[in-house]
Amino acid sequence: MRTEPAGAHDLRHHGDAEVRDDGAKLTDLAVNVRADTPPAWLRERIAGSLAGLAAYPDGRAARAAVAARHGVAVERVLLTAGAAEAFVLLARALTVRHAVVVHPQFTEPEAALRDAGHPVERVLLREADGFRLDPAVVPEDADLVVVGNPTNPTSVLHPAATLAELARPGRTLVVDEAFLDAVPGEREALAGRTDVPGLVVLRSLTKTWGLAGLRIGYVLAAPETIAALERAQPLWPVSTPALAAAQACMEPRALAEAAHAAHRVATDRAHLVAGLREFAPDGLRVVEPAEGPFVLVRLPRATAVRRHLRDLGWAVRRGDTFPGLDEEWLRLAVRDRPTVNRFLQALDQAVTLAKG
C-alpha cells in the first residue's frame, strides 16, 4: 500500500459513457445497475406520485421510512439526489484540513472534494494485497477519510471491524455503501451503527432498483452532521417521484425482493468468475473474492480487447480512470447466465483478435 498525489486520471469518467450515443445498442456490462429494473410495482408507485407534482416535495414520510428501515432516529437521515449529491454536500459543508480517499474506488468523492478546494491525499491499495485495507496505512492526522464497501471497482468487501478501526475523535469517516444491498445479508454493513464516532454512511437506491435516472439516495450520520449537510442542500432537492420510490423501497416487500436479488447476483457472479478463470492462460486475472455486483479483471492488451468487444456488441468499463489502476484493467457488471455465456464467447473472440 502506498500514497500518491493527484495523477492524470479522468475522475469524471463513469460507466454510462460506454453506452451513450453509438454505444446505446451494445449489451451493457459497463454500468452497475441491476438489469430488468425498476420492477413493475415500483414503476407503478412512481407513476402514482405524478398526480402530486403541483405540490412542493415533502420528504418526511420517506425520511421516516429510511430511519425505520435502519433503526435510527429521523434526525440521522438525509435524503439526497443520489449518492453523488451527498459527496458534494460533504465537500461543501464540512471543515476539512486533511482529506484522504482510499483508492481504487468510485472517483466522485475525490472530484467533489477537489472542486470544493480541498487538497486530497490518495491511499492506494495494491493488487498484491488483494486491494484489502490495512487501517494503519491511513495517515493518523486525516480528518476526513472516504472508503467504499463493497468497493467499486474492485468488488472487495472490507470487514466492518476493519473500517471501524479508522474512526478517530475529530475525524469524519465516510463509508460508501452504494452496493451493500447487493451483498447477501448485507454482511459488513455499518449503516445503522451509532457507536462509531464520526461515521457517515452513504446509500444509493439507483443500483439495485434501476433508478439512476431518478436520482435518489440517502446519508446516515450523527444529527449534527446531518444538520450541516442539510444547510448546504438546496430547497426541495429530492423530487416527489424520487421520494415515492424511496418510501416504496423501504417496505418489507421491497427489502425481501432486494435480498432475493442479492443471492441471485451472487450465483450469477460465481458463474461469471468461473468462466473468466478459463482465460488464465491468456494472462487474465480476476480480483477475488468478488462480493459486489461487478468484478475487476486484469489482462494484457485490455484496451484492444475492449475495442474488439465493442465491435462484437459489448460494452465494458475501462479501468484506467480509477487511481491505482492502469489500462490493463476492466470492470464487468454481473448479468444473468445466458448473457454471461454469450459474453464469454465474445471475450474469447476479442482476446484472440487482440493478439493479432
Side-chain angles (χ1 to χ4, degrees):
M1 301 182 188
R2 67 191 192 280
T3 61
E4 71 163 19
H9 297 84
D10 181 1
L11 301 180
R12 295 296 190 186
H13 180 92
H14 300 296
D16 61 319
E18 309 284 353
V19 290
R20 290 179 187 155
D21 303 326
D22 65 335
K25 295 182 180 180
L26 302 177
T27 300
D28 179 12
L29 271 66
V31 176
N32 293 323
V33 173
R34 184 162 63 97
D36 300 320
T37 52
W41 64 264
L42 182 53
R43 294 198 302 270
E44 291 170 3
R45 288 287 291 272
I46 294 169
S49 73
L50 300 182
L53 291 185
Y56 284 94
D58 183 349
R60 289 177 296 177
R63 188 178 185 183
V66 172
R69 182 257 199 267
H70 291 287
V72 298
V74 293
E75 293 80 12
R76 286 182 166 270
V77 176
L78 182 68
L79 302 173
T80 60
E85 187 204 10
F87 292 123
V88 173
L89 296 177
L90 287 163
R92 292 177 178 176
L94 301 184
T95 300
V96 180
R97 293 177 291 98
H98 184 183
V100 169
V101 178
V102 179
H103 284 291
Q105 78 148 341
F106 184 50
T107 52
E108 276 304 308
E110 178 172 329
L113 286 163
R114 292 190 181 281
D115 286 348
H118 303 298
V120 177
E121 182 176 359
R122 295 173 178 172
V123 171
L124 301 182
L125 306 185
R126 300 190 309 148
E127 179 189 8
D129 300 321
F131 295 108
R132 301 207 159 271
L133 173 66
D134 175 0
V137 304
V138 175
E140 189 65 30
D141 65 343
D143 60 351
L144 176 69
V145 178
V146 185
V147 61
N149 205 40
T151 303
N152 170 20
T154 64
S155 208
V156 169
L157 183 67
H158 302 292
T162 299
L163 296 175
E165 286 183 41
L166 292 172
R168 301 281 190 281
R171 170 184 289 179
T172 300
L173 171 61
V174 180
V175 181
D176 177 7
E177 291 188 351
F179 295 100
L180 211 290
D181 59 353
V183 175
E186 297 200 358
R187 301 188 330 275
E188 312 303 343
L190 288 174
R193 292 274 297 270
T194 60
D195 60 322
V196 180
L199 177 65
V200 176
V201 174
L202 276 55
R203 285 285 181 111
S204 170
L205 299 178
T206 65
K207 302 349 184 217
T208 288
W209 297 111
L211 299 174
L214 196 62
R215 311 309 305 143
I216 179 65
Y218 55 91
V219 181
L220 303 171
E224 58 271 22
T225 301
I226 294 296
L229 299 180
E230 196 167 17
R231 287 192 296 271
Q233 207 174 26
L235 290 174
W236 312 292
V238 181
S239 70
T240 295
L243 292 171
Q247 190 170 352
C249 291
M250 297 300 114
E251 294 172 358
R253 168 187 176 176
L255 297 179
E257 183 174 324
H260 176 74
H263 285 283
R264 188 171 67 248
V265 166
T267 299
D268 291 338
R269 183 182 60 239
H271 181 64
L272 172 61
V273 170
L276 292 170
R277 290 188 189 126
E278 298 298 317
F279 291 87
D282 299 297
L284 187 148
R285 298 193 298 278
V286 185
V287 176
E288 297 188 67
E291 300 284 359
F294 46 86
V295 297
L296 182 66
V297 301
R298 185 172 193 172
L299 72 161
R301 299 173 293 277
T303 300
V305 169
R306 185 171 67 91
R307 184 177 66 252
H308 290 306
L309 282 170
R310 290 185 73 85
D311 293 339
L312 294 167
W314 298 86
V316 299
R317 172 68 158 90
R318 58 189 280 199
D320 61 327
T321 64
F322 293 100
L325 303 182
D326 59 26
E327 65 279 356
E328 288 195 343
W329 294 92
L330 298 174
R331 190 193 69 196
L332 313 173
V334 174
R335 299 292 185 241
D336 61 86
R337 276 182 172 239
T339 302
V340 167
N341 289 340
R342 295 195 306 273
F343 169 72
L344 292 171
Q345 292 175 348
L347 179 61
D348 187 39
Q349 296 179 57
V351 168
T352 300
L353 289 168
K355 291 178 180 177

